[in-house]
Amino acid sequence: MTMEIQRSAFVIDENLEVSPKSAEFKAAADRRVVTSPSFPRVLGPYSHAVVAGGFVFVAGQAPINPSTQEFELGDIESETCLELTNMSAILEAAGSNLASVVKVSIHLSSLDDFDGMNRAYVEFFRSDYPVRTTTQAVLRSGRKIEIDCIARLKD
């Protein structure tokens, strides 16, 4: 009888022989990067989104116009709308949508923008709101907001 103890990416049996776990390889096959040149450019070494385990994990968005690939800095409502519009396109390409979002993280450069952000936010999330965390953060490039999310894949 072999007693198995799972450790990281390997199985260690009673004879202390190490072999790869098949679950680890299945997990790698379940992971898919979502990207497109029609999305806003990323600002570093990361993906627009990753699909894994039945969920879509969308990277933090900046107020970048995907047509020009340039920042469109403005008031908090315009930046929020642009980021959520971009997020929606990324979710659709990944096989999800805003209605399937379960978690949103919002980073504001100033908490004074909280009410303005909410005015734009409710235009995209109208009911059955996802859970949300909002924090104040130092954001580069002069932007007022960064938004990321986790969504379920569409059934």
Side-chain angles (χ1 to χ4, degrees):
M1 179 176 150
T2 300
M3 179 181 71
E4 294 185 352
I5 301 170
Q6 295 186 1
R7 300 275 191 249
S8 184
F10 300 95
V11 173
I12 303 171
D13 69 21
E14 65 185 5
N15 299 321
L16 297 179
E17 294 179 12
V18 179
S19 61
K21 290 188 313 190
S22 61
E24 185 71 19
F25 295 106
K26 287 179 187 172
D30 181 44
R31 183 182 181 279
R32 175 175 54 98
V33 171
V34 179
T35 191
S36 168
S38 66
F39 296 161
R41 63 188 167 94
V42 294
L43 302 175
Y46 58 87
S47 301
H48 289 98
V50 172
V51 175
F55 290 91
V56 182
F57 301 84
V58 179
Q61 297 300 297
I64 296 174
N65 180 322
S67 298
T68 64
Q69 296 299 329
E70 298 293 329
F71 279 95
E72 286 192 3
L73 302 178
D75 63 25
I76 189 61
E77 291 182 48
S78 66
E79 288 189 23
T80 302
C81 286
L82 180 55
E83 290 185 21
L84 290 172
T85 298
N86 292 341
M87 185 174 290
S88 179
I90 293 167
L91 287 167
E92 289 290 337
S96 188
N97 56 31
L98 288 173
S100 299
V101 171
V102 296
K103 172 72 168 95
V104 176
S105 295
I106 297 179
H107 310 280
L108 295 171
S109 63
S110 170
L111 290 178
D112 292 338
D113 287 330
F114 188 83
D115 291 337
M117 175 275 298
N118 272 334
R119 283 191 294 276
Y121 184 88
V122 297
E123 295 300 315
F124 291 84
F125 297 102
R126 296 183 178 267
S127 64
D128 296 329
Y129 302 113
V131 297
R132 186 177 91 185
T133 301
T134 305
T135 61
Q136 185 170 3
V138 176
L139 300 173
R140 61 184 264 205
S141 308
R143 60 190 170 173
K144 293 176 174 48
I145 188 168
E146 180 173 312
I147 307 171
D148 63 79
C149 76
I150 301 170
R152 290 176 38 94
L153 288 172
K154 285 191 240 177
D155 296 328

